[in-house]
Amino acid sequence: MEQEIVEFWADSRDEIIGKCIKSSVNDAILGSGEGYQGSREIVFDRLWSALLQDIQGDTLAKTGEEIGRLAREAVKYGRDVEPLQRIIEILMESAEEAARTKYREEPDRVSRIAGYLEKYLNKAMMILAKSTVKAQAEVIRKQKDYLLELSTPVIPLLDGILVLPLIGTIDTRRAKQIMDNLLSGIVEAQADTVLIDISGVPIVDTQVAHHLMKTVQAARLLGARCIIVGIRPEFAQTIVKLGIDFGRIVTKNSLQAGLKLAFEWHNYELRRVGGGVPDATTGANS
Amino acid sequence: MQQQVPILKIDDFWIASVQGSLHDQDVIEFKQALLSKITQPKSNGLIIDLTVLDVVDSFVTKTLIDIRGLAKLMGVPVVIAGMSPAVAITLVEMGLSLEGIDTALNLQKGLDKLRNPGKER
């Protein structure tokens, strides 16, 4: 039985692949670009040889690898994976057709081979589904990491003053990242004062408030003072309603007010020298 | 018995630089040594430098709070300097924020704080 199918598969390479190429698959399904690495012949040839090895060894390792690679590429380039399913189907259909032509006189043999192919088709589809989900999960994980990297900048504003603008929802994972970034930023810049701007945080609940307090306390332990700025009315209401005690944490309503206080602590003075704002077009003072 | 933590004097200020992690016994000895130093005349401040310390346990933390309380009784201000982010995170996670203890980023800033106590809030 095994021998039979191996023999058939190895012998009818040209018929199977020829049928596949002639079948209704067009470039739109296979993709004509770099994604599938060349022409459809290569795609079918690789699948064919992978299946040949797998049928010999009665496994699905090679085919799985090949399908996984195709699925990963499709997901990476944002293409639909449905055509891949079609490709596998076409390969199996073509094989069945080739068997029918080849063993016209032996219907038993044809049906045995067809049954075998059917089994492989099902398994291959399963692998395709699994690989697609895996590839997508991988993409999502990567994007999450990029997002985290982007989302917590610590900006040195002046000698000894840092600004930490927080934008977007804060969850536990992000709060940890924020704390780590801020603390290492403080040590690196040897900064005394940190302005934490939370005007870009849409929802402030007990969790977020708790994380904020922890961050402020940790910064204080290093020897830096925090000013929380950009507290919106809703946030203030939440804090009061939830009965959270912000204790000795300094808060200001706007970044400007916080900056003013930070300047005071550092004995900076901000004043305008000369006339008004320079004209943007000429660069001269108006 | 070799002293684990050198306690040095600059001007009127005592500086204790903790080197590496301390066993409980070392911590107790360190506390005793510190107390005998700051009871001497011309002790106007104490800085505990934790720059090289990367691990703290609850006993060390408790001792720090004790030292601060005892020093306060003697009228000596205490500043903890150079705590690392890892230690700070550990303390906050343990729920110990060392309320009331002054902190500084480094030894220099700690000394500045002791010299100009009025400047701070």
PDB file of all heavy atoms in Angstrom, chain A residues 179-180 183 186-187 190-192 214 217-218 220-223 225 248 250 265, chain B residues 83-85 88-89 91-93 97-99 101 103-106 109 119-121:
ATOM      1  N   MET A 179       7.407  52.301  34.717  1.00  0.00           N
ATOM      2  CA  MET A 179       8.196  52.467  35.929  1.00  0.00           C
ATOM      3  C   MET A 179       9.672  52.180  35.649  1.00  0.00           C
ATOM      4  O   MET A 179      10.550  52.968  36.008  1.00  0.00           O
ATOM      5  CB  MET A 179       7.686  51.536  37.034  1.00  0.00           C
ATOM      6  CG  MET A 179       8.191  51.926  38.406  1.00  0.00           C
ATOM      7  SD  MET A 179       8.093  50.603  39.605  1.00  0.00           S
ATOM      8  CE  MET A 179       6.565  50.924  40.381  1.00  0.00           C
ATOM      9  N   ASP A 180       9.948  51.080  34.962  1.00  0.00           N
ATOM     10  CA  ASP A 180      11.336  50.731  34.641  1.00  0.00           C
ATOM     11  C   ASP A 180      12.005  51.836  33.839  1.00  0.00           C
ATOM     12  O   ASP A 180      13.117  52.265  34.157  1.00  0.00           O
ATOM     13  CB  ASP A 180      11.390  49.418  33.845  1.00  0.00           C
ATOM     14  CG  ASP A 180      11.108  48.223  34.719  1.00  0.00           C
ATOM     15  OD1 ASP A 180      11.042  48.413  35.945  1.00  0.00           O
ATOM     16  OD2 ASP A 180      10.958  47.104  34.184  1.00  0.00           O
ATOM     17  N   LEU A 183      12.569  55.040  36.005  1.00  0.00           N
ATOM     18  CA  LEU A 183      13.621  54.938  37.015  1.00  0.00           C
ATOM     19  C   LEU A 183      14.997  54.931  36.378  1.00  0.00           C
ATOM     20  O   LEU A 183      15.915  55.616  36.840  1.00  0.00           O
ATOM     21  CB  LEU A 183      13.418  53.686  37.878  1.00  0.00           C
ATOM     22  CG  LEU A 183      12.149  53.672  38.727  1.00  0.00           C
ATOM     23  CD1 LEU A 183      12.175  52.531  39.711  1.00  0.00           C
ATOM     24  CD2 LEU A 183      11.948  54.974  39.461  1.00  0.00           C
ATOM     25  N   ILE A 186      15.797  58.381  35.266  1.00  0.00           N
ATOM     26  CA  ILE A 186      16.184  59.265  36.368  1.00  0.00           C
ATOM     27  C   ILE A 186      17.652  59.068  36.720  1.00  0.00           C
ATOM     28  O   ILE A 186      18.421  60.017  36.852  1.00  0.00           O
ATOM     29  CB  ILE A 186      15.301  58.994  37.613  1.00  0.00           C
ATOM     30  CG1 ILE A 186      13.892  59.512  37.381  1.00  0.00           C
ATOM     31  CG2 ILE A 186      15.905  59.648  38.844  1.00  0.00           C
ATOM     32  CD1 ILE A 186      12.912  59.099  38.448  1.00  0.00           C
ATOM     33  N   VAL A 187      18.054  57.785  36.829  1.00  0.00           N
ATOM     34  CA  VAL A 187      19.431  57.507  37.208  1.00  0.00           C
ATOM     35  C   VAL A 187      20.388  57.990  36.112  1.00  0.00           C
ATOM     36  O   VAL A 187      21.430  58.588  36.394  1.00  0.00           O
ATOM     37  CB  VAL A 187      19.624  56.005  37.484  1.00  0.00           C
ATOM     38  CG1 VAL A 187      21.092  55.683  37.683  1.00  0.00           C
ATOM     39  CG2 VAL A 187      18.826  55.588  38.704  1.00  0.00           C
ATOM     40  N   GLN A 190      20.402  61.706  36.116  1.00  0.00           N
ATOM     41  CA  GLN A 190      20.565  62.263  37.470  1.00  0.00           C
ATOM     42  C   GLN A 190      19.592  63.426  37.671  1.00  0.00           C
ATOM     43  O   GLN A 190      19.985  64.526  38.071  1.00  0.00           O
ATOM     44  CB  GLN A 190      22.013  62.705  37.692  1.00  0.00           C
ATOM     45  CG  GLN A 190      23.002  61.534  37.746  1.00  0.00           C
ATOM     46  CD  GLN A 190      22.880  60.736  39.030  1.00  0.00           C
ATOM     47  OE1 GLN A 190      23.058  61.259  40.131  1.00  0.00           O
ATOM     48  NE2 GLN A 190      22.553  59.456  38.932  1.00  0.00           N
ATOM     49  N   ALA A 191      18.336  63.149  37.366  1.00  0.00           N
ATOM     50  CA  ALA A 191      17.330  64.207  37.408  1.00  0.00           C
ATOM     51  C   ALA A 191      16.623  64.235  38.757  1.00  0.00           C
ATOM     52  O   ALA A 191      16.304  63.198  39.319  1.00  0.00           O
ATOM     53  CB  ALA A 191      16.315  63.987  36.300  1.00  0.00           C
ATOM     54  N   ASP A 192      16.402  65.459  39.268  1.00  0.00           N
ATOM     55  CA  ASP A 192      15.736  65.636  40.560  1.00  0.00           C
ATOM     56  C   ASP A 192      14.229  65.648  40.426  1.00  0.00           C
ATOM     57  O   ASP A 192      13.525  65.337  41.371  1.00  0.00           O
ATOM     58  CB  ASP A 192      16.099  66.988  41.164  1.00  0.00           C
ATOM     59  CG  ASP A 192      17.566  67.085  41.449  1.00  0.00           C
ATOM     60  OD1 ASP A 192      18.031  66.335  42.316  1.00  0.00           O
ATOM     61  OD2 ASP A 192      18.221  67.874  40.780  1.00  0.00           O
ATOM     62  N   LYS A 214       2.695  54.068  42.876  1.00  0.00           N
ATOM     63  CA  LYS A 214       3.898  53.242  43.053  1.00  0.00           C
ATOM     64  C   LYS A 214       5.080  53.851  42.312  1.00  0.00           C
ATOM     65  O   LYS A 214       6.202  53.882  42.823  1.00  0.00           O
ATOM     66  CB  LYS A 214       3.638  51.815  42.549  1.00  0.00           C
ATOM     67  CG  LYS A 214       2.929  50.962  43.557  1.00  0.00           C
ATOM     68  CD  LYS A 214       3.292  49.495  43.436  1.00  0.00           C
ATOM     69  CE  LYS A 214       2.784  48.882  42.171  1.00  0.00           C
ATOM     70  NZ  LYS A 214       2.691  47.426  42.231  1.00  0.00           N
ATOM     71  N   GLN A 217       6.326  56.820  44.205  1.00  0.00           N
ATOM     72  CA  GLN A 217       7.059  56.430  45.419  1.00  0.00           C
ATOM     73  C   GLN A 217       8.442  55.900  45.083  1.00  0.00           C
ATOM     74  O   GLN A 217       9.421  56.236  45.753  1.00  0.00           O
ATOM     75  CB  GLN A 217       6.268  55.364  46.179  1.00  0.00           C
ATOM     76  CG  GLN A 217       5.133  55.952  46.997  1.00  0.00           C
ATOM     77  CD  GLN A 217       4.199  54.881  47.513  1.00  0.00           C
ATOM     78  OE1 GLN A 217       4.321  53.709  47.151  1.00  0.00           O
ATOM     79  NE2 GLN A 217       3.269  55.278  48.353  1.00  0.00           N
ATOM     80  N   ALA A 218       8.517  55.071  44.040  1.00  0.00           N
ATOM     81  CA  ALA A 218       9.820  54.515  43.664  1.00  0.00           C
ATOM     82  C   ALA A 218      10.772  55.625  43.227  1.00  0.00           C
ATOM     83  O   ALA A 218      11.954  55.624  43.580  1.00  0.00           O
ATOM     84  CB  ALA A 218       9.654  53.493  42.545  1.00  0.00           C
ATOM     85  N   ARG A 220      10.694  58.649  44.251  1.00  0.00           N
ATOM     86  CA  ARG A 220      11.092  59.383  45.453  1.00  0.00           C
ATOM     87  C   ARG A 220      12.222  58.669  46.185  1.00  0.00           C
ATOM     88  O   ARG A 220      13.126  59.292  46.719  1.00  0.00           O
ATOM     89  CB  ARG A 220       9.891  59.554  46.380  1.00  0.00           C
ATOM     90  CG  ARG A 220      10.061  60.649  47.414  1.00  0.00           C
ATOM     91  CD  ARG A 220       9.010  60.548  48.490  1.00  0.00           C
ATOM     92  NE  ARG A 220       9.200  59.361  49.305  1.00  0.00           N
ATOM     93  CZ  ARG A 220       9.986  59.328  50.385  1.00  0.00           C
ATOM     94  NH1 ARG A 220      10.640  60.404  50.760  1.00  0.00           N
ATOM     95  NH2 ARG A 220      10.120  58.210  51.078  1.00  0.00           N
ATOM     96  N   LEU A 221      12.155  57.328  46.197  1.00  0.00           N
ATOM     97  CA  LEU A 221      13.199  56.557  46.869  1.00  0.00           C
ATOM     98  C   LEU A 221      14.551  56.789  46.204  1.00  0.00           C
ATOM     99  O   LEU A 221      15.596  56.757  46.849  1.00  0.00           O
ATOM    100  CB  LEU A 221      12.860  55.068  46.848  1.00  0.00           C
ATOM    101  CG  LEU A 221      11.772  54.643  47.826  1.00  0.00           C
ATOM    102  CD1 LEU A 221      11.445  53.186  47.654  1.00  0.00           C
ATOM    103  CD2 LEU A 221      12.213  54.919  49.254  1.00  0.00           C
ATOM    104  N   LEU A 222      14.532  57.008  44.890  1.00  0.00           N
ATOM    105  CA  LEU A 222      15.793  57.291  44.202  1.00  0.00           C
ATOM    106  C   LEU A 222      16.277  58.695  44.507  1.00  0.00           C
ATOM    107  O   LEU A 222      17.444  59.014  44.295  1.00  0.00           O
ATOM    108  CB  LEU A 222      15.604  57.179  42.687  1.00  0.00           C
ATOM    109  CG  LEU A 222      15.287  55.833  42.096  1.00  0.00           C
ATOM    110  CD1 LEU A 222      15.347  55.929  40.592  1.00  0.00           C
ATOM    111  CD2 LEU A 222      16.261  54.799  42.574  1.00  0.00           C
ATOM    112  N   GLY A 223      15.383  59.538  44.970  1.00  0.00           N
ATOM    113  CA  GLY A 223      15.764  60.912  45.258  1.00  0.00           C
ATOM    114  C   GLY A 223      15.225  61.908  44.255  1.00  0.00           C
ATOM    115  O   GLY A 223      15.730  63.011  44.160  1.00  0.00           O
ATOM    116  N   ARG A 225      11.780  63.988  42.731  1.00  0.00           N
ATOM    117  CA  ARG A 225      10.418  64.363  43.073  1.00  0.00           C
ATOM    118  C   ARG A 225       9.561  64.388  41.822  1.00  0.00           C
ATOM    119  O   ARG A 225      10.013  64.828  40.774  1.00  0.00           O
ATOM    120  CB  ARG A 225      10.402  65.752  43.724  1.00  0.00           C
ATOM    121  CG  ARG A 225      10.738  65.693  45.203  1.00  0.00           C
ATOM    122  CD  ARG A 225      10.837  67.071  45.763  1.00  0.00           C
ATOM    123  NE  ARG A 225      11.916  67.803  45.106  1.00  0.00           N
ATOM    124  CZ  ARG A 225      12.196  69.071  45.346  1.00  0.00           C
ATOM    125  NH1 ARG A 225      11.466  69.748  46.198  1.00  0.00           N
ATOM    126  NH2 ARG A 225      13.191  69.669  44.724  1.00  0.00           N
ATOM    127  N   ARG A 248       1.040  62.940  49.775  1.00  0.00           N
ATOM    128  CA  ARG A 248       1.972  64.046  49.589  1.00  0.00           C
ATOM    129  C   ARG A 248       2.398  64.224  48.142  1.00  0.00           C
ATOM    130  O   ARG A 248       3.345  64.947  47.863  1.00  0.00           O
ATOM    131  CB  ARG A 248       3.200  63.801  50.465  1.00  0.00           C
ATOM    132  CG  ARG A 248       2.898  63.954  51.947  1.00  0.00           C
ATOM    133  CD  ARG A 248       3.775  63.039  52.787  1.00  0.00           C
ATOM    134  NE  ARG A 248       5.137  62.963  52.267  1.00  0.00           N
ATOM    135  CZ  ARG A 248       6.166  63.631  52.781  1.00  0.00           C
ATOM    136  NH1 ARG A 248       5.990  64.404  53.820  1.00  0.00           N
ATOM    137  NH2 ARG A 248       7.372  63.490  52.286  1.00  0.00           N
ATOM    138  N   VAL A 250       2.623  65.700  44.685  1.00  0.00           N
ATOM    139  CA  VAL A 250       2.323  67.034  44.177  1.00  0.00           C
ATOM    140  C   VAL A 250       1.582  66.921  42.849  1.00  0.00           C
ATOM    141  O   VAL A 250       2.000  66.185  41.961  1.00  0.00           O
ATOM    142  CB  VAL A 250       3.625  67.829  43.965  1.00  0.00           C
ATOM    143  CG1 VAL A 250       3.311  69.250  43.534  1.00  0.00           C
ATOM    144  CG2 VAL A 250       4.451  67.821  45.226  1.00  0.00           C
ATOM    145  N   TRP A 265      11.667  75.124  41.986  1.00  0.00           N
ATOM    146  CA  TRP A 265      12.504  74.225  42.776  1.00  0.00           C
ATOM    147  C   TRP A 265      13.967  74.284  42.344  1.00  0.00           C
ATOM    148  O   TRP A 265      14.872  74.159  43.135  1.00  0.00           O
ATOM    149  CB  TRP A 265      12.011  72.777  42.621  1.00  0.00           C
ATOM    150  CG  TRP A 265      10.754  72.490  43.369  1.00  0.00           C
ATOM    151  CD1 TRP A 265      10.141  73.299  44.275  1.00  0.00           C
ATOM    152  CD2 TRP A 265       9.952  71.328  43.266  1.00  0.00           C
ATOM    153  NE1 TRP A 265       9.001  72.708  44.733  1.00  0.00           N
ATOM    154  CE2 TRP A 265       8.858  71.491  44.128  1.00  0.00           C
ATOM    155  CE3 TRP A 265      10.045  70.157  42.515  1.00  0.00           C
ATOM    156  CZ2 TRP A 265       7.877  70.533  44.290  1.00  0.00           C
ATOM    157  CZ3 TRP A 265       9.068  69.202  42.666  1.00  0.00           C
ATOM    158  CH2 TRP A 265       7.989  69.386  43.540  1.00  0.00           C
TER     159      TRP A 265
ATOM    160  N   MET B  83      20.059  55.155  45.762  1.00  0.00           N
ATOM    161  CA  MET B  83      19.347  53.873  45.685  1.00  0.00           C
ATOM    162  C   MET B  83      19.143  53.478  44.214  1.00  0.00           C
ATOM    163  O   MET B  83      18.875  54.320  43.364  1.00  0.00           O
ATOM    164  CB  MET B  83      18.006  54.000  46.397  1.00  0.00           C
ATOM    165  CG  MET B  83      17.320  52.666  46.613  1.00  0.00           C
ATOM    166  SD  MET B  83      15.695  52.872  47.335  1.00  0.00           S
ATOM    167  CE  MET B  83      16.096  53.317  49.007  1.00  0.00           C
ATOM    168  N   SER B  84      19.289  52.204  43.923  1.00  0.00           N
ATOM    169  CA  SER B  84      19.155  51.763  42.525  1.00  0.00           C
ATOM    170  C   SER B  84      17.690  51.497  42.208  1.00  0.00           C
ATOM    171  O   SER B  84      16.894  51.203  43.103  1.00  0.00           O
ATOM    172  CB  SER B  84      19.980  50.509  42.286  1.00  0.00           C
ATOM    173  OG  SER B  84      19.439  49.443  43.020  1.00  0.00           O
ATOM    174  N   PRO B  85      17.310  51.575  40.916  1.00  0.00           N
ATOM    175  CA  PRO B  85      15.916  51.323  40.539  1.00  0.00           C
ATOM    176  C   PRO B  85      15.407  49.969  41.027  1.00  0.00           C
ATOM    177  O   PRO B  85      14.281  49.865  41.496  1.00  0.00           O
ATOM    178  CB  PRO B  85      15.956  51.380  39.012  1.00  0.00           C
ATOM    179  CG  PRO B  85      17.080  52.277  38.690  1.00  0.00           C
ATOM    180  CD  PRO B  85      18.103  52.053  39.757  1.00  0.00           C
ATOM    181  N   ALA B  88      14.514  50.208  44.608  1.00  0.00           N
ATOM    182  CA  ALA B  88      13.323  51.044  44.789  1.00  0.00           C
ATOM    183  C   ALA B  88      12.057  50.274  44.425  1.00  0.00           C
ATOM    184  O   ALA B  88      11.065  50.308  45.150  1.00  0.00           O
ATOM    185  CB  ALA B  88      13.440  52.309  43.926  1.00  0.00           C
ATOM    186  N   ILE B  89      12.122  49.543  43.310  1.00  0.00           N
ATOM    187  CA  ILE B  89      10.950  48.776  42.884  1.00  0.00           C
ATOM    188  C   ILE B  89      10.621  47.705  43.921  1.00  0.00           C
ATOM    189  O   ILE B  89       9.463  47.517  44.304  1.00  0.00           O
ATOM    190  CB  ILE B  89      11.189  48.149  41.496  1.00  0.00           C
ATOM    191  CG1 ILE B  89      11.224  49.247  40.435  1.00  0.00           C
ATOM    192  CG2 ILE B  89      10.091  47.141  41.158  1.00  0.00           C
ATOM    193  CD1 ILE B  89      11.606  48.781  39.057  1.00  0.00           C
ATOM    194  N   LEU B  91      11.217  47.730  47.128  1.00  0.00           N
ATOM    195  CA  LEU B  91      10.632  48.346  48.319  1.00  0.00           C
ATOM    196  C   LEU B  91       9.180  48.733  48.075  1.00  0.00           C
ATOM    197  O   LEU B  91       8.311  48.473  48.909  1.00  0.00           O
ATOM    198  CB  LEU B  91      11.440  49.590  48.716  1.00  0.00           C
ATOM    199  CG  LEU B  91      12.823  49.326  49.301  1.00  0.00           C
ATOM    200  CD1 LEU B  91      13.472  50.635  49.706  1.00  0.00           C
ATOM    201  CD2 LEU B  91      12.741  48.407  50.508  1.00  0.00           C
ATOM    202  N   VAL B  92       8.912  49.331  46.915  1.00  0.00           N
ATOM    203  CA  VAL B  92       7.544  49.758  46.634  1.00  0.00           C
ATOM    204  C   VAL B  92       6.620  48.547  46.518  1.00  0.00           C
ATOM    205  O   VAL B  92       5.493  48.556  46.999  1.00  0.00           O
ATOM    206  CB  VAL B  92       7.507  50.611  45.352  1.00  0.00           C
ATOM    207  CG1 VAL B  92       6.076  50.891  44.944  1.00  0.00           C
ATOM    208  CG2 VAL B  92       8.231  51.925  45.568  1.00  0.00           C
ATOM    209  N   GLU B  93       7.135  47.475  45.875  1.00  0.00           N
ATOM    210  CA  GLU B  93       6.314  46.265  45.760  1.00  0.00           C
ATOM    211  C   GLU B  93       6.022  45.668  47.133  1.00  0.00           C
ATOM    212  O   GLU B  93       4.971  45.071  47.349  1.00  0.00           O
ATOM    213  CB  GLU B  93       7.003  45.227  44.873  1.00  0.00           C
ATOM    214  CG  GLU B  93       7.130  45.614  43.399  1.00  0.00           C
ATOM    215  CD  GLU B  93       5.775  45.751  42.708  1.00  0.00           C
ATOM    216  OE1 GLU B  93       4.797  45.186  43.204  1.00  0.00           O
ATOM    217  OE2 GLU B  93       5.718  46.452  41.679  1.00  0.00           O
ATOM    218  N   SER B  97       7.393  52.428  51.488  1.00  0.00           N
ATOM    219  CA  SER B  97       7.825  53.575  50.699  1.00  0.00           C
ATOM    220  C   SER B  97       8.755  54.471  51.492  1.00  0.00           C
ATOM    221  O   SER B  97       9.138  55.537  51.041  1.00  0.00           O
ATOM    222  CB  SER B  97       6.621  54.350  50.215  1.00  0.00           C
ATOM    223  OG  SER B  97       5.859  54.777  51.313  1.00  0.00           O
ATOM    224  N   LEU B  98       9.140  54.028  52.710  1.00  0.00           N
ATOM    225  CA  LEU B  98      10.063  54.793  53.560  1.00  0.00           C
ATOM    226  C   LEU B  98       9.589  56.233  53.734  1.00  0.00           C
ATOM    227  O   LEU B  98      10.369  57.170  53.604  1.00  0.00           O
ATOM    228  CB  LEU B  98      11.478  54.778  52.975  1.00  0.00           C
ATOM    229  CG  LEU B  98      12.155  53.430  52.766  1.00  0.00           C
ATOM    230  CD1 LEU B  98      13.565  53.634  52.266  1.00  0.00           C
ATOM    231  CD2 LEU B  98      12.206  52.649  54.068  1.00  0.00           C
ATOM    232  N   GLU B  99       8.293  56.392  54.014  1.00  0.00           N
ATOM    233  CA  GLU B  99       7.745  57.737  54.196  1.00  0.00           C
ATOM    234  C   GLU B  99       8.588  58.492  55.219  1.00  0.00           C
ATOM    235  O   GLU B  99       8.977  57.939  56.247  1.00  0.00           O
ATOM    236  CB  GLU B  99       6.297  57.658  54.701  1.00  0.00           C
ATOM    237  CG  GLU B  99       5.204  57.621  53.640  1.00  0.00           C
ATOM    238  CD  GLU B  99       5.344  58.637  52.522  1.00  0.00           C
ATOM    239  OE1 GLU B  99       5.667  59.803  52.814  1.00  0.00           O
ATOM    240  OE2 GLU B  99       5.128  58.261  51.361  1.00  0.00           O
ATOM    241  N   ILE B 101      11.593  59.546  55.087  1.00  0.00           N
ATOM    242  CA  ILE B 101      13.045  59.530  54.964  1.00  0.00           C
ATOM    243  C   ILE B 101      13.430  60.322  53.722  1.00  0.00           C
ATOM    244  O   ILE B 101      12.854  60.138  52.655  1.00  0.00           O
ATOM    245  CB  ILE B 101      13.580  58.084  54.858  1.00  0.00           C
ATOM    246  CG1 ILE B 101      13.271  57.334  56.144  1.00  0.00           C
ATOM    247  CG2 ILE B 101      15.080  58.080  54.603  1.00  0.00           C
ATOM    248  CD1 ILE B 101      13.909  55.984  56.224  1.00  0.00           C
ATOM    249  N   THR B 103      15.604  61.365  50.550  1.00  0.00           N
ATOM    250  CA  THR B 103      16.399  60.597  49.592  1.00  0.00           C
ATOM    251  C   THR B 103      17.118  61.548  48.651  1.00  0.00           C
ATOM    252  O   THR B 103      16.693  62.678  48.459  1.00  0.00           O
ATOM    253  CB  THR B 103      15.507  59.674  48.762  1.00  0.00           C
ATOM    254  OG1 THR B 103      14.420  60.422  48.246  1.00  0.00           O
ATOM    255  CG2 THR B 103      15.001  58.512  49.570  1.00  0.00           C
ATOM    256  N   ALA B 104      18.219  61.048  48.070  1.00  0.00           N
ATOM    257  CA  ALA B 104      18.951  61.848  47.092  1.00  0.00           C
ATOM    258  C   ALA B 104      19.503  60.923  46.029  1.00  0.00           C
ATOM    259  O   ALA B 104      19.726  59.743  46.271  1.00  0.00           O
ATOM    260  CB  ALA B 104      20.079  62.619  47.764  1.00  0.00           C
ATOM    261  N   LEU B 105      19.710  61.497  44.847  1.00  0.00           N
ATOM    262  CA  LEU B 105      20.159  60.684  43.722  1.00  0.00           C
ATOM    263  C   LEU B 105      21.581  60.179  43.904  1.00  0.00           C
ATOM    264  O   LEU B 105      21.917  59.080  43.501  1.00  0.00           O
ATOM    265  CB  LEU B 105      20.077  61.498  42.432  1.00  0.00           C
ATOM    266  CG  LEU B 105      18.724  61.501  41.744  1.00  0.00           C
ATOM    267  CD1 LEU B 105      18.656  62.604  40.732  1.00  0.00           C
ATOM    268  CD2 LEU B 105      18.480  60.158  41.071  1.00  0.00           C
ATOM    269  N   ASN B 106      22.431  61.023  44.480  1.00  0.00           N
ATOM    270  CA  ASN B 106      23.814  60.605  44.686  1.00  0.00           C
ATOM    271  C   ASN B 106      24.370  61.285  45.928  1.00  0.00           C
ATOM    272  O   ASN B 106      23.690  62.088  46.571  1.00  0.00           O
ATOM    273  CB  ASN B 106      24.670  60.924  43.456  1.00  0.00           C
ATOM    274  CG  ASN B 106      24.476  62.357  42.990  1.00  0.00           C
ATOM    275  OD1 ASN B 106      24.374  63.262  43.809  1.00  0.00           O
ATOM    276  ND2 ASN B 106      24.396  62.539  41.676  1.00  0.00           N
ATOM    277  N   LYS B 109      24.366  65.156  45.921  1.00  0.00           N
ATOM    278  CA  LYS B 109      23.059  65.787  46.152  1.00  0.00           C
ATOM    279  C   LYS B 109      22.605  65.580  47.589  1.00  0.00           C
ATOM    280  O   LYS B 109      21.905  66.417  48.149  1.00  0.00           O
ATOM    281  CB  LYS B 109      22.043  65.239  45.158  1.00  0.00           C
ATOM    282  CG  LYS B 109      22.364  65.753  43.769  1.00  0.00           C
ATOM    283  CD  LYS B 109      21.253  65.548  42.779  1.00  0.00           C
ATOM    284  CE  LYS B 109      21.611  66.331  41.518  1.00  0.00           C
ATOM    285  NZ  LYS B 109      20.986  65.892  40.320  1.00  0.00           N
ATOM    286  N   LYS B 119      15.962  74.603  51.783  1.00  0.00           N
ATOM    287  CA  LYS B 119      15.592  74.697  50.385  1.00  0.00           C
ATOM    288  C   LYS B 119      14.505  73.686  50.031  1.00  0.00           C
ATOM    289  O   LYS B 119      13.672  73.938  49.172  1.00  0.00           O
ATOM    290  CB  LYS B 119      16.833  74.442  49.527  1.00  0.00           C
ATOM    291  CG  LYS B 119      16.865  75.285  48.274  1.00  0.00           C
ATOM    292  CD  LYS B 119      17.988  74.840  47.376  1.00  0.00           C
ATOM    293  CE  LYS B 119      17.440  74.153  46.165  1.00  0.00           C
ATOM    294  NZ  LYS B 119      18.412  73.435  45.403  1.00  0.00           N
ATOM    295  N   GLU B 120      14.570  72.550  50.719  1.00  0.00           N
ATOM    296  CA  GLU B 120      13.592  71.502  50.383  1.00  0.00           C
ATOM    297  C   GLU B 120      12.248  71.824  50.971  1.00  0.00           C
ATOM    298  O   GLU B 120      12.142  72.524  51.976  1.00  0.00           O
ATOM    299  CB  GLU B 120      14.079  70.148  50.925  1.00  0.00           C
ATOM    300  CG  GLU B 120      15.371  69.710  50.311  1.00  0.00           C
ATOM    301  CD  GLU B 120      15.272  69.557  48.809  1.00  0.00           C
ATOM    302  OE1 GLU B 120      14.225  69.070  48.349  1.00  0.00           O
ATOM    303  OE2 GLU B 120      16.213  69.934  48.113  1.00  0.00           O
ATOM    304  N   ARG B 121      11.218  71.293  50.350  1.00  0.00           N
ATOM    305  CA  ARG B 121       9.892  71.486  50.877  1.00  0.00           C
ATOM    306  C   ARG B 121       9.775  70.804  52.224  1.00  0.00           C
ATOM    307  O   ARG B 121      10.182  69.669  52.375  1.00  0.00           O
ATOM    308  CB  ARG B 121       8.854  70.846  49.961  1.00  0.00           C
ATOM    309  CG  ARG B 121       8.421  71.705  48.844  1.00  0.00           C
ATOM    310  CD  ARG B 121       7.570  70.895  47.901  1.00  0.00           C
ATOM    311  NE  ARG B 121       8.252  69.639  47.558  1.00  0.00           N
ATOM    312  CZ  ARG B 121       7.774  68.450  47.853  1.00  0.00           C
ATOM    313  NH1 ARG B 121       6.649  68.335  48.486  1.00  0.00           N
ATOM    314  NH2 ARG B 121       8.433  67.380  47.508  1.00  0.00           N
TER     315      ARG B 121
END
